[in-house]
Amino acid sequence: MQSARRLEGVRAYGRTVDAFDTVAWRPPSTARFDTRLANDPAVPEPTLKELIAALPGWVTVVAGGLIAALMGALLGGALAV
């Protein structure tokens, strides 16, 4: 068995399975599957307003400076044409 798949052998059979070992099949345990629904998140995702409120103040200043520099470069390029 490949080293990357050894963990699957431990989960399925309770021990690592080598390439030449024979293993009797048994049904998977209940812990193998996640029983939560796909559209039922455990933790609600934060809204955009909450994410922006959580940012430190210096991020706004730096982002504004970058946007101003980009706008200046674009305007300078447009005036040069």
Side-chain angles (χ1 to χ4, degrees), residues 7-69:
L7 184 59
E8 293 176 26
V10 171
R11 286 184 183 150
Y13 306 110
R15 62 183 178 86
T16 57
V17 181
D18 293 327
F20 302 108
D21 285 349
T22 57
V23 177
W25 183 87
R26 67 177 178 185
S29 64
T30 57
R32 181 175 175 185
F33 300 105
D34 188 11
T35 57
R36 290 183 297 143
L37 298 174
N39 59 352
D40 187 23
V43 179
E45 294 186 22
T47 61
L48 184 61
K49 187 179 279 188
E50 292 172 351
L51 288 174
I52 291 173
L55 289 175
W58 61 267
V59 174
T60 305
V61 175
V62 170
L66 289 173
I67 291 172

